[in-house]
Amino acid sequence: MAKATGDQSEVGAAVGPPLSRAERKREELRREIVDASFSCFAEKGYHGTGISDIAARLGIGHGTFYRYFENKRDIVDHVITHLLERVVSALAAENAPDAPATLAAYREQTERIATALLSIMDEDPRIARLLLFQAPAIDAELEARVTGLIDAMAELTAGYLRHGVAVGYLPADLDTLNTARAINGMILAGAIHGLNDPGHDSGEYVVAALRLMHVGLGGSMSTDGSNN
Amino acid sequence: MAKATGDQSEVGAAVGPPLSRAERKREELRREIVDASFSCFAEKGYHGTGISDIAARLGIGHGTFYRYFENKRDIVDHVITHLLERVVSALAAENAPDAPATLAAYREQTERIATALLSIMDEDPRIARLLLFQAPAIDAELEARVTGLIDAMAELTAGYLRHGVAVGYLPADLDTLNTARAINGMILAGAIHGLNDPGHDSGEYVVAALRLMHVGLGGSMSTDGSNN
Amino acid sequence: MAKATGDQSEVGAAVGPPLSRAERKREELRREIVDASFSCFAEKGYHGTGISDIAARLGIGHGTFYRYFENKRDIVDHVITHLLERVVSALAAENAPDAPATLAAYREQTERIATALLSIMDEDPRIARLLLFQAPAIDAELEARVTGLIDAMAELTAGYLRHGVAVGYLPADLDTLNTARAINGMILAGAIHGLNDPGHDSGEYVVAALRLMHVGLGGSMSTDGSNN
Amino acid sequence: MAKATGDQSEVGAAVGPPLSRAERKREELRREIVDASFSCFAEKGYHGTGISDIAARLGIGHGTFYRYFENKRDIVDHVITHLLERVVSALAAENAPDAPATLAAYREQTERIATALLSIMDEDPRIARLLLFQAPAIDAELEARVTGLIDAMAELTAGYLRHGVAVGYLPADLDTLNTARAINGMILAGAIHGLNDPGHDSGEYVVAALRLMHVGLGGSMSTDGSNN
DNA sequence: CATGAATGAGCCTTCATTCAT
DNA sequence: TATGAATGAAGGCTCATTCAT
């Protein structure tokens, strides 16, 4: 009787069995609830949002919510997961995951990543608001998830840096992990700034941050990107 | 029998009118309530903290709370103000506010500031937790206060950068404001990292971040601090 | 299985849209809450009554109350409105609203009105208790509503008196408004007396008051109602 | 040292032992508390008045209140007693308590009484507000006290009426008690009206009410007071 | 399956009263 | 004796969750 097997959906979901019409509708509403919850949480805050707000936004009965999600706490996880999928897939689309072979290539890669990341935040600043300002306050677990996410990003960056050191275009004495954290922080700051000043030009910020990151305060970004 | 006016000793307390014994006790309890609220909010979150939790922590009746603060929302402002005072006074103690005249002097200043700031966060990571993770979620107003604070820090840093440009030890084409934001972000990341990993060595982080800030990824910090 | 629209039967209910079963149940509970609130307020006083008392009397959860009424203050208005509807409809049922053409006819009308009014109060003295003794103490607004009600009654009576003067069966120099107030007062006194002495014979009171009203202290009520 | 003995107030106070200076001050504050409570209760309602409001009005600590009165409930009794003393003494001053021998004399007496009573209410409408609108809502006991007071007034009036019947200037078949209640009601209505319309001319009301009372609706008040 | 009526735990807040100073 | 700091019972109200329809 098992209606099939496993793991449909989830970003890299392997093609699962075809969903019946009813299942597809169910999945659609599920997604809509996640979206509506995201909007509400980002706009009014987690504690300022009632289940009824979410339901009202969709024009469904608020009892229906509980046929799709365990409880209020439950949905935040899904919202965040959904947001991360959005972010990750946006990044994946833009960036070749290849490890860059030269400093110049790495510089370009960082630029692509930073630009993509901040573009997402510019498009919908509610993402940053929910992820950075709401989620950590809900719960110890969610706080851990957010800090874990930040750590993971740092670790990812650190991997690139370690690669650069191994290949030789980055200095051997680079403290890769802490440097990665600092780079991370620049992105964080960009995202947070986007919240305050929605009309800002994140491109300029990226340029300034990349310059700081690649040549430091004193250096200048020559056309060829060399640092001297 | 002398009423003994002397020493009301608050750190930077401007000389005020001498406080009566009752007034001193009142001020003391007020402070204790702020402290207890801080602890509760940082540990259990704003919404997870009841007035009764705060009162219980102090062993006072919860009605007493309302003799000192308007309501639950009221005290968060006081807690935050108190924290900022702590931070500011710690910074003020460590740093000569003089604008540095050379790049090396500026480098030293940034090091002092960063070290002082992260030391505070290391000492009591709950400060960062409340300021960065709890406060923005409470209220639109508090979110604005936190983002305003971050902006103010960026503006402060930008001021130093502009000075460096004017004096000549920083490049004329430096995007001072955005660069300041990026620098800010490094500090933010340091503070957040301190939350996750309380036993971490924030000194190493400061070194890595300063290196990134001053010479960029490719550069090395030679003993004399020169960048080439 | 037919949904059966018919008979929503509220006494003088104007033909409205047919109510669904759920709507009828809702309206019924609403009414029950009003009734229970009335009982509680009349018996234990407004301030002596908790929302939980009202809910307990109906065997419902106290949260349910708030699904039907905004707050505690809100329901008093509804209770009072409901009471006034009861009173007004009772009066309307008994009395032809025609302006009487002769003194004798007016005398009969006053008797009918007074009797009807005091019968209502006799039947349920809590009406007077709530209206006269509780409501004015709740609020400046409710005090105004009660005094406004008394004024309106006086104005109504004054209208009749003015008619009598115009038609000629009442003296031209009658101070209609103040006289109306005094007549009003007799009814008030009757209602209040009914509170103290629930077993009293309000018929006798009406006779005495009508006699006073129509012939004064010295006169006698001859069979034909003449005054001499 | 005795600073004089005499009549330390209290209307019918039997001459007691001379009070010391401290005792007199105590008695004075007691009286002030009663007055302040009266003002507060009349203006903001019993439940709207806090002990601290009363204390604040006098500029005393609110703990002091409890050195003079048992509790909040306690003082209402004192306030009411005090008000009744004021009313009674005002009436006593104006009226010979002699039973009138003729209808004309009784008419004059009723006029004096009604005028005096309504003058008091005009002077300070808060008396009526407290007595009629606040007191009955506080408590079953206070409700009983107020209705008892009204009854007592009716009984008093009935005594006069009975006297009139006995002496012969009132008809033998007069329902003295109910008639007395109706007369009472006129006064009540006058007092209540005074609350609404503080600028009103209570003299006119008294005239109209007396006319109604003595000659009824149809009659006219000829100079000699005869009714024909 | 969708709905929304019902529920009650839980929280903030007030204020009469006590009592140490 | 006067004071006001402290107290905690009490109560209004919200909202996440359940479940009968």
Side-chain angles (χ1 to χ4, degrees):
Chain A
M1 263 315 153
K3 190 60 93 42
T5 44
D7 71 50
Q8 343 42 352
S9 75
E10 291 311 318
V11 172
V15 258
L19 298 174
S20 76
R21 207 174 97 68
E23 283 168 326
R24 276 205 316 280
K25 280 203 65 168
R26 182 174 175 78
E27 216 49 42
E28 187 185 345
L29 180 49
R30 219 182 131 81
R31 172 60 50 98
E32 283 177 349
I33 292 175
V34 170
D35 284 345
S37 301
F38 163 51
S39 300
C40 287
F41 290 156
E43 288 165 17
K44 320 200 287 198
Y46 176 74
H47 290 286
T49 298
I51 297 298
S52 55
D53 293 317
I54 298 169
R57 185 179 276 251
L58 292 175
I60 64 174
H62 63 273
T64 306
F65 175 92
Y66 287 92
R67 304 190 67 74
Y68 289 81
F69 296 94
E70 278 297 304
N71 52 40
K72 189 182 176 184
R73 177 57 180 75
D74 180 32
I75 198 164
V76 200
D77 282 329
H78 290 271
V79 168
I80 290 177
T81 299
H82 180 52
L83 290 183
L84 294 186
E85 285 170 7
R86 267 174 77 178
V87 171
V88 167
S89 71
L91 286 182
E94 297 285 340
N95 288 283
D98 317 328
T102 69
L103 182 54
Y106 180 54
R107 192 174 303 180
E108 277 171 33
Q109 191 190 48
T110 54
E111 184 172 0
R112 282 199 309 276
I113 293 180
T115 302
L117 219 40
L118 291 185
S119 296
I120 296 169
M121 299 301 178
D122 278 356
E123 266 177 48
D124 192 347
R126 298 171 310 164
I127 300 177
R129 174 165 288 117
L130 184 61
L131 243 35
L132 300 179
F133 282 175
Q134 289 293 327
I138 294 174
D139 197 77
E141 190 186 321
L142 277 175
E143 185 192 314
R145 192 171 175 195
V146 170
T147 54
L149 176 66
I150 293 175
D151 275 358
M153 282 177 58
E155 188 50 47
L156 188 71
T157 300
Y160 282 109
L161 296 185
R162 277 193 293 268
H163 173 74
V165 169
V167 171
Y169 62 76
L170 289 181
D173 65 346
L174 194 68
D175 179 346
T176 49
L177 188 52
N178 280 314
T179 304
R181 284 176 185 140
I183 292 172
N184 241 346
M186 296 187 195
I187 295 178
L188 236 54
I192 290 176
H193 176 60
L195 287 179
N196 276 19
D197 184 2
H200 79 134
D201 183 339
S202 71
E204 289 183 0
Y205 178 77
V206 170
V207 169
L210 285 172
R211 173 172 166 169
L212 185 65
M213 167 181 170
H214 284 285
V215 303
L217 276 177
S220 68
M221 293 293 268
S222 48
T223 325
D224 61 357
S226 72
N227 172 22
N228 53 10
Chain B
M1 266 310 158
K3 263 290 172 52
T5 35
D7 68 44
Q8 318 83 316
S9 70
E10 275 310 315
V11 170
V15 260
L19 297 174
S20 74
R21 205 173 98 66
E23 283 167 324
R24 276 205 313 281
K25 277 199 67 169
R26 181 175 178 78
E27 218 48 44
E28 185 185 319
L29 180 48
R30 216 184 136 83
R31 171 61 51 98
E32 283 176 349
I33 292 174
V34 170
D35 285 344
S37 302
F38 165 51
S39 301
C40 288
F41 290 155
E43 287 164 19
K44 322 202 285 198
Y46 177 74
H47 290 287
T49 298
I51 296 299
S52 54
D53 293 317
I54 297 169
R57 182 179 282 249
L58 291 174
I60 64 175
H62 65 273
T64 304
F65 174 92
Y66 288 93
R67 293 185 51 74
Y68 290 82
F69 296 93
E70 281 293 305
N71 51 42
K72 189 182 174 183
R73 176 60 178 74
D74 182 31
I75 201 171
V76 201
D77 280 330
H78 289 272
V79 168
I80 291 177
T81 299
H82 180 52
L83 291 183
L84 295 185
E85 282 170 5
R86 267 173 77 176
V87 171
V88 167
S89 73
L91 287 181
E94 297 287 339
N95 288 284
D98 316 327
T102 69
L103 183 55
Y106 179 55
R107 192 174 304 183
E108 276 170 32
Q109 191 190 47
T110 54
E111 182 171 0
R112 282 199 309 275
I113 293 181
T115 302
L117 219 40
L118 292 185
S119 296
I120 296 170
M121 301 300 176
D122 279 356
E123 265 178 48
D124 192 346
R126 299 172 309 164
I127 298 177
R129 172 165 290 118
L130 186 60
L131 241 36
L132 300 179
F133 282 174
Q134 289 294 326
I138 293 174
D139 219 53
E141 191 186 320
L142 277 177
E143 184 192 315
R145 192 171 176 195
V146 170
T147 55
L149 177 66
I150 293 175
D151 276 358
M153 282 176 58
E155 188 50 48
L156 188 70
T157 300
Y160 282 110
L161 296 184
R162 277 193 294 268
H163 172 74
V165 171
V167 171
Y169 62 76
L170 289 181
D173 65 346
L174 194 68
D175 180 346
T176 50
L177 189 50
N178 279 314
T179 303
R181 286 177 185 139
I183 293 172
N184 238 345
M186 295 185 195
I187 295 179
L188 236 54
I192 291 176
H193 176 60
L195 288 179
N196 276 21
D197 183 2
H200 79 134
D201 183 340
S202 71
E204 289 183 0
Y205 178 77
V206 170
V207 169
L210 285 173
R211 172 170 165 170
L212 186 66
M213 168 181 168
H214 283 284
V215 303
L217 276 176
S220 68
M221 293 292 269
S222 48
T223 326
D224 61 354
S226 71
N227 172 25
N228 54 11
Chain C
M1 268 311 158
K3 264 288 171 51
T5 36
D7 67 46
Q8 317 84 319
S9 70
E10 275 309 316
V11 169
V15 260
L19 298 174
S20 75
R21 205 172 99 65
E23 283 167 325
R24 276 206 313 280
K25 277 199 66 168
R26 182 175 176 78
E27 218 49 44
E28 184 184 318
L29 180 50
R30 217 183 135 83
R31 171 62 50 97
E32 283 175 350
I33 292 175
V34 170
D35 285 344
S37 301
F38 165 50
S39 300
C40 287
F41 290 155
E43 287 164 18
K44 321 201 286 199
Y46 176 74
H47 290 286
T49 298
I51 296 299
S52 53
D53 293 318
I54 297 170
R57 181 180 281 248
L58 292 174
I60 64 175
H62 66 273
T64 304
F65 174 92
Y66 290 94
R67 291 185 51 73
Y68 290 82
F69 296 94
E70 281 294 306
N71 51 43
K72 190 182 174 184
R73 178 58 179 74
D74 182 31
I75 200 171
V76 201
D77 280 330
H78 289 272
V79 168
I80 291 176
T81 299
H82 181 52
L83 291 183
L84 294 185
E85 281 170 6
R86 266 174 78 177
V87 171
V88 167
S89 71
L91 286 182
E94 297 286 339
N95 287 284
D98 317 328
T102 68
L103 182 55
Y106 180 53
R107 192 174 304 181
E108 276 171 31
Q109 191 190 47
T110 53
E111 183 172 359
R112 281 199 310 274
I113 294 179
T115 303
L117 219 41
L118 292 186
S119 296
I120 297 168
M121 301 300 178
D122 279 356
E123 266 178 47
D124 192 346
R126 299 171 310 165
I127 299 178
R129 172 165 289 118
L130 185 62
L131 241 35
L132 300 179
F133 281 173
Q134 289 294 326
I138 293 174
D139 219 51
E141 191 186 320
L142 277 177
E143 185 191 316
R145 191 170 177 196
V146 170
T147 54
L149 177 67
I150 293 176
D151 275 358
M153 283 176 58
E155 189 50 47
L156 188 71
T157 300
Y160 281 110
L161 296 184
R162 278 193 292 268
H163 173 73
V165 170
V167 171
Y169 61 75
L170 290 181
D173 64 346
L174 194 67
D175 180 346
T176 50
L177 188 51
N178 279 315
T179 304
R181 285 177 185 138
I183 292 172
N184 239 345
M186 295 186 195
I187 295 178
L188 237 56
I192 291 175
H193 175 60
L195 287 180
N196 276 21
D197 183 2
H200 79 134
D201 183 340
S202 72
E204 289 182 1
Y205 178 77
V206 170
V207 169
L210 285 174
R211 173 171 166 170
L212 185 65
M213 166 181 169
H214 283 285
V215 302
L217 276 178
S220 69
M221 293 291 269
S222 48
T223 323
D224 61 355
S226 70
N227 173 22
N228 56 7
Chain D
M1 258 311 157
K3 189 66 83 54
T5 40
D7 64 49
Q8 22 351 19
S9 68
E10 290 311 318
V11 171
V15 259
L19 297 173
S20 76
R21 205 171 100 67
E23 283 168 326
R24 274 207 315 284
K25 280 201 67 168
R26 182 174 175 79
E27 215 50 41
E28 186 185 345
L29 180 49
R30 220 182 131 82
R31 171 60 50 99
E32 284 176 348
I33 292 175
V34 171
D35 284 345
S37 301
F38 163 52
S39 300
C40 289
F41 291 155
E43 288 164 17
K44 320 202 285 198
Y46 176 74
H47 290 285
T49 298
I51 296 297
S52 56
D53 293 316
I54 297 169
R57 184 179 277 250
L58 291 174
I60 65 175
H62 64 273
T64 306
F65 175 92
Y66 288 90
R67 303 190 67 76
Y68 289 81
F69 296 94
E70 279 296 304
N71 52 39
K72 190 182 175 182
R73 177 57 180 75
D74 180 32
I75 197 164
V76 199
D77 282 330
H78 290 271
V79 168
I80 291 178
T81 299
H82 180 52
L83 290 184
L84 294 186
E85 283 170 6
R86 265 173 79 177
V87 172
V88 167
S89 71
L91 287 181
E94 297 286 339
N95 288 282
D98 317 329
T102 70
L103 183 53
Y106 180 54
R107 193 173 304 182
E108 277 171 30
Q109 191 190 47
T110 53
E111 183 172 358
R112 281 198 309 275
I113 294 179
T115 302
L117 219 39
L118 292 185
S119 296
I120 297 170
M121 299 300 177
D122 278 356
E123 266 178 48
D124 192 347
R126 298 172 310 164
I127 299 177
R129 172 164 288 117
L130 184 62
L131 242 36
L132 300 179
F133 282 173
Q134 290 294 327
I138 294 174
D139 216 56
E141 189 186 322
L142 277 176
E143 184 192 315
R145 191 170 177 196
V146 170
T147 54
L149 177 66
I150 292 175
D151 276 358
M153 282 177 57
E155 188 51 48
L156 188 70
T157 301
Y160 281 111
L161 296 184
R162 277 194 292 268
H163 173 73
V165 171
V167 170
Y169 62 76
L170 289 180
D173 64 346
L174 194 69
D175 180 345
T176 50
L177 187 51
N178 279 314
T179 303
R181 285 176 184 140
I183 291 172
N184 240 345
M186 295 186 196
I187 294 177
L188 236 55
I192 290 176
H193 176 60
L195 286 178
N196 276 20
D197 183 3
H200 78 134
D201 183 340
S202 71
E204 289 182 0
Y205 178 77
V206 169
V207 169
L210 285 173
R211 174 172 164 168
L212 186 66
M213 168 182 167
H214 283 286
V215 303
L217 277 177
S220 68
M221 294 293 270
S222 48
T223 324
D224 61 357
S226 72
N227 172 22
N228 54 11

